[in-house]
Amino acid sequence: MTSCIQAPQQRAGGPVLVHVEFEVFGGVQGVHFSKYCKEMCDRFDLKGWSKPSPYGTVLGVIEGEKGNVDEMAMWLQHQGSPGSRIEHCELRNWQIVDKCDYRRFNVRF
């Protein structure tokens, strides 16, 4: 499922924070996908993690301001790292959160 939650970008206490899980399918291993994913998340000030799965996909979690998470979701679905070939990206369990569970974005192995 690739739809975003429909939420305002701001709320009374500050920006809307969201959490989403992702899995990217296609030619995404062996092309430094997680490294570029981390660079993009750092650029957008997003938290979470990504890792290659044993099934040839890349799994992860992204948290942060909704607008930035939406931008990162577009990158995961349509751009990816140089040399990657994205077949599709599943974005699951979109949630509005009060705070991020992670302090930074990490690549796991």
Side-chain angles (χ1 to χ4, degrees), residues 44-106:
F44 287 121
D45 192 30
L46 299 174
K47 318 309 186 219
W49 56 268
S50 70
K51 72 175 184 176
S53 79
Y55 307 106
T57 63
V58 172
L59 300 168
V61 170
I62 302 170
E63 297 179 330
E65 292 185 19
K66 183 183 181 310
N68 292 345
V69 172
D70 289 345
E71 288 290 327
M72 189 61 196
M74 294 298 289
W75 185 88
L76 290 168
Q77 293 172 325
H78 302 291
Q79 185 175 345
S81 65
S84 66
R85 184 184 43 78
I86 298 170
E87 290 176 7
H88 72 280
C89 175
E90 293 182 5
L91 300 165
R92 303 182 199 104
N93 300 322
W94 284 87
Q95 301 172 34
I96 295 175
V97 296
D98 292 327
K99 64 182 178 99
C100 293
D101 290 331
Y102 303 95
R103 290 187 294 186
R104 64 185 64 86
F105 193 89
N106 292 305

Side-chain angles (χ1 to χ4, degrees), residues 7-61:
Q9 300 295 321
Q10 293 283 326
R11 62 181 177 183
V16 172
L17 300 176
V18 296
H19 166 107
V20 65
E21 299 166 9
F22 68 87
E23 185 169 11
V24 185
F25 297 80
V28 292
Q29 290 193 4
V31 291
H32 304 286
F33 195 93
S34 289
K35 172 187 173 264
Y36 281 91
C37 184
K38 179 182 176 6
E39 288 178 8
M40 292 300 294
C41 285
D42 288 348
R43 183 180 302 169
F44 287 121
D45 192 30
L46 299 174
K47 318 309 186 219
W49 56 268
S50 70
K51 72 175 184 176
S53 79
Y55 307 106
T57 63
V58 172
L59 300 168
V61 170

